[in-house]
Amino acid sequence: MATRHVEMVQDLLELMGVGAERVAVIYCSSAEGRYFAEVARKMSEKLRAIGSNPLKMWKADELGVESKQTSSDPPK
Amino acid sequence: MGSKASRPQVTPPSKAWGKTKLLMGEGKVVEWFMYKGDVLQLVRRLAKHLIETGVAEGIVSGVSKEGKVSLHIARSAVEVDESPLDHVLLHGYRGLESTVRAARERKKEKLAVLVKPCEARAIVELAKRRQVDLNLAFIIGFDCPGIRANSDAGDELKEAMSAAPSGELLRDACRRCEVHAPPHADVYISLLASPEILLVGAKTEKGTRVVESLRKDGVLSDRPPQELLLGREKKLKLLDEKGRETLREEEGKLLSTPNNERLSWFMGQLNSCTRCSACIRACPLCFCKDCVLIAERKKYSPSLFLVTRMLHMADACVCCGKCDEVCPKSIPLSYMFYHLGRRFTSRHSYLSGVDFSKPPRIV
């Protein structure tokens, strides 16, 4: 179910022109600390390459909720 | 919800998602009869019959007061005669809500509702989510080529629902409509085939009984000529194809604009939202009793209000265009909702409101 929700978010971001690649679901067990670290690093590298979140432009004059919900920072 | 094995037709999705496919135009064909005369007369006759025989306790209708139509459930023959059923079918009551809502909010009562295909789809979606009991509701579905953009209450039902107006005249939501025949109904009424002869049909057991007794009373005549039926099918196919075409075109146009332009357009639209929640009240599918968005609307930023709503129910959107009508800021809501919804659902080979065998993708 959660993956479908994220899929929907991806669709919305894609339609809005933010880019679906800013959100991802990754399966990771609690025992796989190293894997998690690697995935997080990869994701942040990817995002750094894409550039900053275009939604930030709209964040300034709004309530905090917005930035929390739509920010697409890497997991962690 | 009785589990009678001998009734393959319309047992609503009870425990397992039923195996019955209810895609209109495919599979089992409705048995059609003819009626020569005025639609309104036929609907009134039908409604009276339903009330007399006790199939329905009332028919969802309206009363007009000072030019505005508000919800009223006609429970007797006299009330049926007085009620502006044509207006209710075309515009809903009070210009705000649809007949579907009435069926949803009074789901313990046996009510008959007049629906357009989009509303029929909404009922199917609601039935999947157990918000409408199909054993109680009696659905009278109409074929619909699309409603004109600024058709006022004076418009004749017949005119609005039989002629296929050219694309520019249609409401925004109707232009990208993919389903022009109700996917589920107890009694079907089609004005598409020809302006003089109405086609009346039934697919469910309940509907068949009603149509059968109407035929015995001499209201309906037998077997319409084959070319009428074929003509209807052809017209429907053409309309569906046209809707899909528009949908594809629009999506192509949207996706071909550069990202930053698209974003600024979206954010501009979303930020102009006033969080008035008119769209939530008008939506036939928003059935949550305690909507977070209404209860805590002050906490949401304008853009997030719509985004939350979209992510919550865009997959069920049937593109009825009610939200477009009520939005005080005229944000193209159905455009956003349906495009997002179709993007998501087409990947899951799902189309909202046409098939009982497929469970909703997001619950």
Side-chain angles (χ1 to χ4, degrees), chain B residues 143 180-181 192 232-240:
Chain B
D143 288 348
H180 292 84
L192 269 183
R232 172 180 173 270
E233 295 271 306
K234 215 165 140 194
K235 265 187 197 167
L236 283 177
K237 226 176 229 167
L238 217 71
L239 286 167
D240 289 357

Side-chain angles (χ1 to χ4, degrees), chain B residues 130-322:
Chain B
R130 321 256 174 91
Q131 296 301 315
V132 171
D133 189 349
L134 290 181
N135 287 329
L136 292 181
F138 191 91
I139 302 155
I140 305 167
F142 287 80
D143 288 348
C144 165
I147 302 294
R148 255 164 262 207
N150 40 19
S151 64
D152 47 36
D155 264 16
E156 287 264 319
L157 173 71
K158 205 166 179 173
E159 196 187 322
M161 287 214 124
S162 60
S166 60
E168 296 82 56
L169 289 170
L170 288 181
R171 288 196 319 180
D172 215 32
C174 290
R175 251 182 281 161
R176 65 185 86 89
C177 180
E178 293 167 89
V179 181
H180 292 84
H184 168 78
D186 288 302
V187 168
Y188 297 88
I189 298 178
S190 173
L191 295 98
L192 269 183
S194 89
E196 287 89 34
I197 303 166
L198 306 184
L199 295 175
V200 182
K203 204 155 75 164
T204 67
E205 205 185 303
K206 214 169 16 166
T208 315
R209 242 180 285 136
V210 170
V211 169
E212 201 56 41
S213 62
L214 277 181
R215 197 174 62 106
K216 265 183 209 142
D217 292 352
V219 181
L220 304 175
S221 51
D222 261 349
R223 308 233 153 247
Q226 200 61 34
E227 66 256 28
L228 266 187
L229 296 179
L230 288 177
R232 172 180 173 270
E233 295 271 306
K234 215 165 140 194
K235 265 187 197 167
L236 283 177
K237 226 176 229 167
L238 217 71
L239 286 167
D240 289 357
E241 194 43 56
K242 210 168 146 196
R244 251 173 259 138
E245 189 82 9
T246 320
L247 200 63
R248 251 179 267 130
E249 234 170 66
E250 278 180 353
E251 188 171 18
K253 232 182 245 170
L254 181 67
L255 289 179
S256 64
T257 45
N259 277 358
N260 51 355
E261 251 171 64
R262 226 189 308 161
L263 181 62
S264 56
W265 181 81
F266 257 98
M267 288 311 281
Q269 294 293 336
L270 295 178
N271 274 334
S272 66
C273 173
T274 56
R275 296 169 285 173
C276 68
S277 74
C279 49
I280 297 174
R281 300 222 167 82
C283 184
L285 283 156
C286 270
F287 59 79
C288 305
K289 281 253 162 63
D290 302 306
C291 182
V292 164
L293 290 173
I294 293 176
E296 296 177 16
R297 66 192 199 97
K298 287 275 153 60
K299 287 190 195 160
Y300 282 86
S301 68
S303 56
L304 201 65
F305 186 85
L306 286 176
V307 166
T308 311
R309 201 166 113 71
M310 269 188 229
L311 294 178
H312 185 208
M313 47 75 62
D315 68 314
C317 179
V318 294
C319 203
C320 66
K322 281 270 180 287

